[in-house]
Amino acid sequence: ILIDGVLKVKIKGDINGDDMVDIFDALLASEAFGTSPGSPRWNPACDLNGDDLVDIFDMIILAQNFGKAL
């Protein structure tokens, strides 16, 4: 991710931006599960594969990286 000219390395699945994929990211993803843009619980950070839907494929990405940290 490029922010103000600074490149920030991020792990796929680190939804809350704390440089680790953990239960807090899983909780955010579970709250957004089944949503798409326009849904009241939509959280674009939970759409890990960028298909405008938070679904099992996003959960698989999170699970594959669970426990990883920078």
Side-chain angles (χ1 to χ4, degrees):
I1 299 171
L2 186 62
I3 303 171
D4 294 327
V6 176
L7 184 62
K8 167 87 170 139
V9 176
K10 187 173 177 183
I11 304 168
K12 278 250 188 200
D14 178 19
I15 295 167
N16 64 2
D18 65 353
D19 295 331
M20 63 179 64
V21 182
D22 58 15
I23 192 66
F24 299 108
D25 301 299
L27 288 171
L28 290 171
S30 69
E31 290 172 4
F33 191 83
T35 64
S36 58
S39 299
R41 295 178 294 116
W42 170 247
N43 180 346
C46 297
D47 180 18
L48 300 175
N49 64 356
D51 66 352
D52 287 337
L53 180 64
V54 179
D55 59 10
I56 191 65
F57 299 108
D58 301 296
M59 297 302 185
I60 290 169
I61 293 169
L62 191 146
Q64 288 173 331
N65 292 308
F66 197 86
K68 292 183 182 177
L70 289 178

